[in-house]
Amino acid sequence: MSNGQSRFHVPAPPFRPGDAPDFSHLDLQKAGEAKRPDPLTASVKMTDLAFGLIGVLDHNHQAVGEWDPRLSPEVLREGLSHMVLTRIYDARMLKLQRQGKMSFYMKSLGEEAVAVAGAMALNKSDMVFPSYRQQGILFARGRNIVDMMCHCISNSRDNLKGRQLPVHYTWAEGNFFSISGNLGTQFPQAVGYAMGCAYKGEDTIAASWIGDGTTAAPDFHAAMTLASTYRAPVILNVVNNQWAISTYEGIAKGDAATFASKGLGYGLASLRVDGNDFLAIYAATKWAADRARKGGGATFIELFTYRADAHSTSDDPARYRPKNEFEKWPLGDPIERLKNHLIGLGEWDEDRHAKLEEQMTALVVKSYKEAESHGTLHDGPLSPTHTIFEDVYATEDWRLRRQRQDLGV
């Protein structure tokens, strides 16, 4: 190859199995340093927020800076409770999957604050279009745990009637849109929903979440264009947990400095937020919601975090990254950070935390026993056979009627 000739370039992760992870190369803005502009500030006047890092909890677990949402201890304890429940629920469900009691599962370990803080900062009337690692939204909105489990084991009480993979929840009553396994579809759907709310003059907004890898999909760009053109009252979140299954985040990010900076080309207010900082996520989501409700349009948020466990029960991360990488992640554990903040305020202690974990464990165990009373994956009862013909057409045509007759249902 002659000098000066270009070589085919493929971004590579900084560490592979067997390497010692070291994140000192990350130049992360310190908590409290980012300025908080008025929510209606023009996007071109706050581009720095797409390249820095909005953080509230510092290394001493104190809330600092202009983005501090100044939440009451009661709200902080509620957030901690939802995150602890999410983690315990995930651990239990993974164990049950390994025992063959469900076909598939996906944990949110290390990302609990993304869903819980985001949900708590929104109104419960706001429509959410999540991905498959935001089960914390359901806990924050009061979803019945038994119903969640019945969906995952596909029994007779599964509100999706066995038509979806486990953890692909839906809950119309809680304004929780059906999760799609086809990645990225929820982004333009959220924008369209938000446009409809604006057209009807409603105060309701929409919010959606995708992973970093999905920003390479066409639906991402369609959603960003629509959101910008129509100033849709929507919050578009990309959860940058560093890995799209086994694909390093640099594949989708390319040479962009941050994922948040991709929003600037669309003219959107773009924020990069510490995704392991409950207070920062709450504050940024609340700011974006205020902007949307006041007619300022959409906000694009990169939640900078780390996927601490496997992508799913079908994945083995030890094949493509160091086993202890999460332990070295510089932004820490979201639950530990909020717990220590509350302890520093004199509003929590280790004994109370241990009791909370015991209570949530007991709740999850009790809930699963009840869920199994409605059927198990292997022994049933499952959703009745006739339900495969329902929920598509308002009126069955002759083909469906004949198929039902052939099955005797």
Side-chain angles (χ1 to χ4, degrees), residues 322-336:
K323 290 184 177 181
N324 65 335
E325 199 170 67
F326 177 60
E327 298 172 7
K328 304 297 183 180
W329 183 242
L331 298 177
D333 181 318
I335 291 179
E336 287 297 308

Side-chain angles (χ1 to χ4, degrees), residues 7 10 316:
R7 295 175 62 90
V10 179
D316 178 9

Side-chain angles (χ1 to χ4, degrees), residues 82-114:
H82 292 320
M83 289 199 292
V84 168
L85 175 57
T86 302
R87 184 167 293 186
I88 290 173
Y89 174 87
D90 277 349
R92 182 71 177 180
M93 298 300 272
L94 176 67
K95 183 181 294 184
L96 294 169
Q97 191 279 335
R98 295 308 192 201
Q99 294 172 353
K101 296 183 177 181
M102 68 186 70
S103 60
F104 180 81
Y105 197 72
M106 306 180 81
K107 294 172 67 177
S108 59
L109 183 65
E111 300 177 40
E112 294 89 354
V114 166

Side-chain angles (χ1 to χ4, degrees), residues 336-347:
E336 287 297 308
R337 290 177 68 184
L338 183 56
K339 179 191 79 172
N340 287 327
H341 175 60
L342 276 164
I343 290 174
L345 294 175
E347 296 289 346

Side-chain angles (χ1 to χ4, degrees), residues 37-48:
D38 182 88
L40 292 181
T41 300
S43 61
V44 295
K45 295 183 178 180
M46 51 181 178
T47 57
D48 58 309

Side-chain angles (χ1 to χ4, degrees), residues 187-206:
F187 242 39
Q189 289 166 348
V191 175
Y193 186 94
M195 289 166 59
C197 293
Y199 180 79
K200 291 183 288 186
E202 297 176 352
D203 189 52
T204 302
I205 66 171

